[in-house]
């Protein structure tokens, strides 16, 4: 089962008729204090709605919705210069100068299939081009809707819930900046292979998320770690480690928090769920 970094970032349908659990978990301490943790998919299709019942029921049973970051900050005009700095070359570098001729030509050919001309976007970094190309493929496959984070945020606003965030928007920008500093040729070549299989992978990821099937996410997590250990470290492991003390703090508050993060953060030996188990907390799947 081949997976790549793009699959991870987008987490980052065939609906199975199963009697299953969900991608929502309850974490309890020895005194019975609890929080909820849910795995999010950041982009969805029309047929992926409504969200599984467990997400909306859990939101109803919580006072506070905790997200990775304040997603409204993406549209804040004040942040545009910082995003531009991260996504584009600010010096004399260009796509053609940082990529080998072979890789550049393959990227150019893939982009041409979606009406993207590299000659006109030479100042975009390879990471930015790959994300744009992936977005075009997703749109072609009907992935046009905001994902779990946005949907739950809208519902929480309607219900008058409070919000907390695990990371600042500046911290999120720093992760994006690190993603632009990986080996460009390797990143592009591997990502292009992923894009060729994108629709099949998206179906599988959505199906596993809806049914609470851990195996697909665990395999994706494992291959991500093996293929891009550097990115795995700062994009998943370091962030998971930073979140654990915050989850423990939430267990000490009188309110019940519903923490929603990218589904890939939950699983595997480095995942949030296993780390909380290792600390002695009871973790149950809803």
């Amino acid at each position: 089962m081949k997976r790549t970094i793009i699959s991870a970032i987008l987490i980052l349908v065939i609906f199975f008729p199963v009697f299953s659990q969900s991608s929502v978990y309850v974490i309890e301490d020895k005194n019975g204090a609890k929080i909820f943790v849910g795995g999010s998919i950041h982009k969805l299709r029309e047929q992926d709605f409504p969200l599984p019942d467990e997400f909306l029921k859990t939101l109803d049973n919580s006072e506070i919705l905790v997200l990775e970051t304040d997603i409204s900050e993406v549209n804040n005009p004040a942040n545009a210069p910082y995003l531009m700095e991260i996504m584009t070359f600010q010096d004399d570098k260009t796509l053609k100068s940082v990529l080998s001729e072979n890789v550049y030509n393959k990227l150019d050919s893939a982009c041409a299939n979606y009406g993207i001309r590299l000659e006109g976007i030479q100042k975009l970094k390879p990471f930015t081009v790959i994300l744009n190309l992936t977005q075009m493929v997703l749109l072609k496959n009907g992935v046009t809707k905001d994902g779990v984070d946005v949907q739950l945020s809208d519902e929480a606003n309607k219900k008058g819930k409070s919000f907390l965030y695990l990371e600042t928007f500046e911290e999120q920008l720093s992760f994006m900046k690190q993603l632009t500093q990986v080996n460009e040729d390797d990143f592009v070549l591997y990502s292009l292979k992923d894009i060729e299989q994108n629709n099949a992978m998206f179906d599988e990821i959505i199906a596993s998320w809806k049914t609470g099937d851990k195996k697909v996410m665990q395999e994706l997590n494992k291959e991500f770690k093996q293929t891009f250990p550097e990115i795995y470290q700062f994009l998943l492991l370091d962030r998971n480690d930073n979140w654990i003390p915050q989850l423990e703090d939430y267990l000490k508050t009188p309110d019940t928090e519903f923490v929603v993060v990218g589904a890939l953060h939950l699983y595997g030996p480095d995942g949030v769920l296993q780390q909380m188990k290792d600390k002695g907390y009871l973790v149950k799947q809803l």
Side-chain angles (χ1 to χ4, degrees):
M1 183 168 57
K2 198 66 173 175
R3 295 292 183 268
T4 74
I5 178 64
I6 291 298
S7 304
I9 295 172
L10 291 174
I11 300 188
L12 254 120
V13 137
I14 300 171
F15 295 103
F16 298 136
V18 295
F19 301 96
S20 68
Q21 295 174 299
S22 71
S23 293
V24 180
Y25 297 78
V26 59
I27 298 176
E28 296 183 10
D29 67 13
K30 61 183 179 181
N31 298 316
K34 66 182 180 182
I35 61 172
F36 296 103
V37 176
S40 170
I41 301 294
H42 298 312
K43 298 295 273 185
L44 294 169
R45 301 170 300 186
E46 188 70 48
Q47 65 259 43
D48 300 326
F49 291 93
L51 296 179
D53 286 345
E54 290 80 6
F55 282 90
L56 298 178
K57 289 178 180 178
T58 300
L59 181 63
D60 285 339
N61 291 324
S62 306
E63 286 78 44
I64 301 173
L65 177 64
V66 184
L67 301 175
E68 291 182 23
T69 194
D70 186 352
I71 50 184
S72 67
E73 286 297 309
V74 175
N75 299 317
N76 184 344
N79 291 320
Y82 305 108
L83 288 169
M84 185 67 68
E85 180 181 350
I86 290 171
M87 308 298 275
T88 65
F89 293 115
Q90 301 298 306
D91 49 24
D92 59 354
K93 291 179 181 178
T94 64
L95 275 173
K96 191 169 287 188
S97 71
V98 301
L99 295 175
S100 68
E101 183 177 0
N102 175 54
V103 174
Y104 180 88
N105 289 337
K106 288 185 177 181
L107 180 60
D108 191 31
S109 177
C111 286
N113 291 331
Y114 292 89
I116 302 173
R117 295 181 63 254
L118 291 191
E119 284 298 330
I121 54 173
Q122 283 294 306
K123 299 305 289 183
L124 294 186
K125 293 180 179 178
F127 166 76
T128 312
V129 177
I130 286 294
L131 286 186
N132 286 336
L133 179 59
T134 302
Q135 181 68 14
M136 296 291 288
V137 174
L138 291 174
L139 287 172
K140 182 179 179 180
N141 292 322
V143 185
T144 61
K145 296 293 184 178
D146 289 322
V148 180
D149 318 68
V150 173
Q151 298 297 326
L152 287 180
S153 181
D154 290 345
E155 286 296 319
N157 276 317
K158 293 176 185 176
K159 298 176 184 292
K161 305 288 185 179
S162 299
F163 288 82
L164 288 173
Y165 305 102
L166 294 168
E167 298 166 342
T168 65
F169 187 69
E170 289 74 18
E171 287 174 315
Q172 290 260 314
L173 290 179
S174 73
F175 302 136
M176 291 178 61
K177 188 172 184 179
Q178 287 177 278
L179 279 168
T180 67
Q181 297 170 346
V182 300
N183 183 283
E184 290 95 345
D185 278 355
D186 289 347
F187 179 82
V188 170
L189 283 176
Y190 210 76
S191 298
L192 288 177
K193 292 179 183 178
D194 178 48
I195 288 172
E196 293 174 0
Q197 309 169 33
N198 195 280
N199 192 37
M201 283 189 292
F202 198 82
D203 283 349
E204 193 172 6
I205 290 169
I206 292 296
S208 68
W209 165 71
K210 275 186 169 286
T211 61
D213 180 3
K214 307 173 188 177
K215 294 180 181 179
V216 172
M217 293 295 181
Q218 287 173 334
E219 185 64 24
L220 173 56
N221 198 305
K222 180 180 178 181
E223 292 188 15
F224 181 20
K225 184 176 184 178
Q226 292 174 343
T227 306
F228 282 102
E230 179 186 359
I231 299 178
Y232 178 90
Q233 179 71 37
F234 70 75
L235 197 62
L236 275 174
L237 180 53
D238 289 347
R239 297 170 72 200
N240 290 351
D241 290 347
N242 291 337
W243 294 347
I244 296 303
Q246 296 182 68
L247 299 189
E248 292 187 286
D249 286 343
Y250 296 151
L251 284 163
K252 301 172 185 175
T253 69
D255 294 319
T256 300
E257 291 84 1
F258 182 18
V259 183
V260 179
V261 298
L264 204 62
H265 287 282
L266 300 187
Y267 303 104
D270 302 321
V272 167
L273 299 178
Q274 187 59 52
Q275 289 202 44
M276 292 299 282
K277 287 181 183 178
D278 292 342
K279 285 182 169 289
Y281 297 102
L282 178 64
V283 177
K284 296 185 294 184
Q285 190 174 20
L286 298 184

